[in-house]
Amino acid sequence: PDLGADLRYHQACEKRLREIDERLKALQKETAALDRRDNELLAEKKHLSELKGKRRQLEQKISTKQDSLRQMEQNITDLKKIEEETKGKVSEVNSQKVAMVKVFIDSIKLKAKLTMEKVYLALKMVELTAEKTKLENDFREGASLLRSMDQKCSQLEQRRAQLTEQCKGHMKRAMSICRMQSKDSLPEDLRNVRLSSCTHPTACSHSRQVSRALFFWGGTQAFAKLPDTPDEIESRLSEERSRAECFTSLSENVRMRWFRRDQEIKQLEKELEEKENALEAYRKNIAEAKERWLNPLKLLVEQINEKFTAFFRSMNCAGEVDLHSENEEDYDKYGIRIRQHSPARVTPYHQSGGERSVSTMLYLMSLQELNRCPFRVVDEINQ
């Protein structure tokens, strides 16, 4: 009976163990299911946490964007004010440029006028210098001639004094021969004496003496008409010298030189007037040709500048494109000048490679707005 009870008890225990094992297996299955559920819940929790983090990030981004929008609205208002101020400054600068261009044009005109006057005065100076040289030569010749005439006059004065003394002596001798007083006039028969009628030697000798007396008598009367005092004689000599100088200065050579010089001056004035007219016509033609191509070119550059400035303004930067030339008359030196941020133009020495690249691309985009083409080729864009 004990063995049977033990056997039953053992069987009951085994049965209980099997039940326990089955229940344990069921619990293990349930535990595995719960673990899977727990893992799923953890994964879902993690996903929800990630979604929550993303939501926070999105909220932060939204708030940041809202702040940026508010800041941009304020900046837009400021930019409008800045744009208005910039337009006012640009208009002032343009008016100053126009005034400076007018002053520059007036200066060029004045310079051209003064240059022409300088050339004319230089030509006039050359002519006057040549004329001065000729007059100096004439003066030297006249001075030498005057000195020679003075010498001759002094010699004639000496000769006159000698002849006067001789005449007085011969006159006294003639009067003594003719037995005449100093107050008596020459007899009529002596005035009509002819040397050719003398045939007798004594008569001829007497006739010669009478002829000498008549000659010296006439010379005495001629000398009697001359001034008596030395001052009057000097005055008469000065008058005769002045007449001689006047006759010398009015020589035919001087008159011909003056006539040729007058003709040359008239010819030069005529040529100068023709050249001035031709120069004015050339300037007028140049101005008309310049207006035909320069005004459309400036209009095109202004359109490019508007696009270029708008592109830079969209990046909160400043840029400008203009037609540049140091001298408006040097047409082969005209060029496009690109400037950004500062008044300095874009060069390899003032901007970096990136700045030059951006400027070049925006310039090409500005050209693209005016002249659309399928593609463009650019080499070394940052140079």
Side-chain angles (χ1 to χ4, degrees):
D2 294 331
L3 291 172
D6 291 334
L7 183 60
R8 285 193 299 275
Y9 180 75
H10 182 70
Q11 290 177 352
C13 288
E14 288 180 355
K15 185 177 179 181
R16 184 70 181 270
L17 287 173
R18 284 195 296 272
E19 290 176 356
I20 291 170
D21 290 335
E22 290 177 357
R23 189 176 179 183
L24 182 61
K25 290 179 180 178
L27 290 172
Q28 288 177 351
K29 290 180 180 179
E30 187 176 356
T31 301
L34 291 173
D35 290 335
R36 286 194 299 273
R37 180 62 179 170
D38 189 19
N39 291 329
E40 290 176 357
L41 291 173
L42 289 173
E44 187 175 357
K45 181 180 179 182
K46 184 178 180 181
H47 181 66
L48 291 174
S49 298
E50 291 177 355
L51 291 175
K52 186 177 180 181
K54 289 181 179 179
R55 180 181 177 182
R56 289 177 181 174
Q57 291 178 358
L58 290 173
E59 289 177 352
Q60 291 178 356
K61 288 182 179 180
I62 289 170
S63 62
T64 304
K65 292 293 183 182
Q66 289 177 351
D67 294 337
S68 299
L69 288 173
R70 286 192 294 270
Q71 186 67 28
M72 288 178 67
E73 289 176 355
Q74 293 178 358
N75 291 334
I76 288 171
T77 305
D78 296 336
L79 286 174
K80 288 181 179 179
K81 293 180 180 179
I82 293 171
E83 184 178 1
E84 292 176 356
E85 293 176 356
T86 305
K87 287 182 178 179
K89 292 180 180 179
V90 168
S91 62
E92 292 178 359
V93 171
N94 290 331
S95 61
Q96 291 178 0
K97 285 183 178 179
V98 171
M100 291 175 68
V101 168
K102 289 181 179 178
V103 173
F104 181 69
I105 292 172
D106 294 337
S107 300
I108 290 176
K109 291 181 179 179
L110 180 60
K111 181 180 178 182
K113 183 178 179 181
L114 293 176
T115 303
M116 292 178 64
E117 291 180 356
K118 182 179 178 181
V119 172
Y120 177 75
L121 291 175
L123 294 174
K124 194 71 175 177
M125 185 66 183
V126 171
E127 294 177 0
L128 293 175
T129 303
E131 187 175 359
K132 178 184 176 183
T133 304
K134 291 182 179 180
L135 291 175
E136 288 177 351
N137 294 330
D138 294 339
F139 176 75
R140 284 192 291 269
E141 293 176 359
S144 61
L145 182 61
L146 181 61
R147 285 193 295 270
S148 63
M149 291 181 68
D150 288 337
Q151 292 176 359
K152 290 181 179 180
C153 287
S154 61
Q155 292 175 1
L156 290 174
E157 286 291 330
Q158 294 175 1
R159 182 64 176 167
R160 184 180 71 85
Q162 293 175 1
L163 291 175
T164 302
E165 295 296 330
Q166 290 178 5
C167 286
K168 289 179 180 179
H170 288 298
M171 191 65 188
K172 289 179 180 179
R173 185 179 178 185
M175 286 183 175
S176 64
I177 292 172
C178 296
R179 297 176 181 179
M180 295 176 60
Q181 299 295 327
S182 59
K183 297 181 180 180
D184 295 337
S185 61
L186 191 66
E188 186 67 26
D189 56 350
L190 293 178
R191 295 179 185 176
N192 297 326
V193 173
R194 296 287 188 271
L195 293 176
S196 59
S197 61
C198 295
T199 57
H200 194 273
T202 305
C204 289
S205 175
H206 180 70
S207 298
R208 290 191 190 96
Q209 292 178 357
V210 172
S211 297
R212 291 193 189 99
L214 289 172
F215 172 76
F216 291 117
W217 179 267
T220 303
Q221 289 182 347
F223 280 113
K225 296 179 181 179
L226 295 175
D228 296 330
T229 62
D231 294 335
E232 292 177 354
I233 293 172
E234 290 295 332
S235 177
R236 185 70 174 273
L237 287 173
S238 299
E239 183 179 354
E240 295 298 330
R241 288 194 190 98
S242 299
R243 289 180 181 178
E245 289 177 358
C246 291
F247 289 139
T248 303
S249 61
L250 293 176
S251 64
E252 185 67 20
N253 293 330
V254 174
R255 191 181 67 83
M256 292 301 294
R257 282 201 301 271
W258 178 86
F259 181 75
R260 287 196 300 270
R261 185 57 51 81
D262 186 60
Q263 293 294 328
E264 290 175 359
I265 290 172
K266 290 180 180 179
Q267 184 67 23
L268 289 174
E269 288 178 351
K270 184 177 179 181
E271 291 179 359
L272 180 61
E273 184 178 0
E274 292 177 355
K275 290 181 179 179
E276 287 178 352
N277 295 331
L279 179 61
E280 188 67 25
Y282 287 145
R283 287 179 177 173
K284 186 176 180 181
N285 294 332
I286 290 172
E288 292 177 355
K290 183 178 178 181
E291 290 179 357
R292 284 197 298 270
W293 68 266
L294 185 58
N295 292 335
L297 180 60
K298 287 183 177 180
L299 181 60
L300 180 62
V301 173
E302 288 178 359
Q303 294 176 358
I304 296 172
N305 182 43
E306 291 178 359
K307 301 294 182 182
F308 188 79
T309 305
F311 287 140
F312 263 95
R313 192 184 299 116
S314 64
M315 298 187 301
N316 294 328
C317 296
E320 184 182 6
V321 175
D322 61 349
L323 185 64
H324 176 69
S325 177
E326 295 181 357
N327 187 2
E328 289 189 357
E329 303 301 329
D330 294 336
Y331 303 112
D332 56 343
K333 294 183 180 179
Y334 274 80
I336 297 295
R337 181 173 59 181
I338 301 175
R339 294 184 291 181
Q340 61 174 7
H341 299 298
S342 63
R345 64 187 181 91
V346 176
T347 61
Y349 310 103
H350 294 87
Q351 289 83 17
S352 63
E355 290 176 338
R356 293 196 296 273
S357 300
V358 171
S359 300
T360 305
M361 290 304 300
L362 293 181
Y363 178 71
L364 293 177
M365 291 172 65
S366 302
L367 291 177
Q368 183 74 14
E369 294 291 328
L370 298 176
N371 184 15
R372 297 184 178 276
C373 58
F375 60 89
R376 296 180 186 272
V377 178
V378 181
D379 186 19
E380 296 182 355
I381 195 171
N382 62 341
Q383 298 299 319

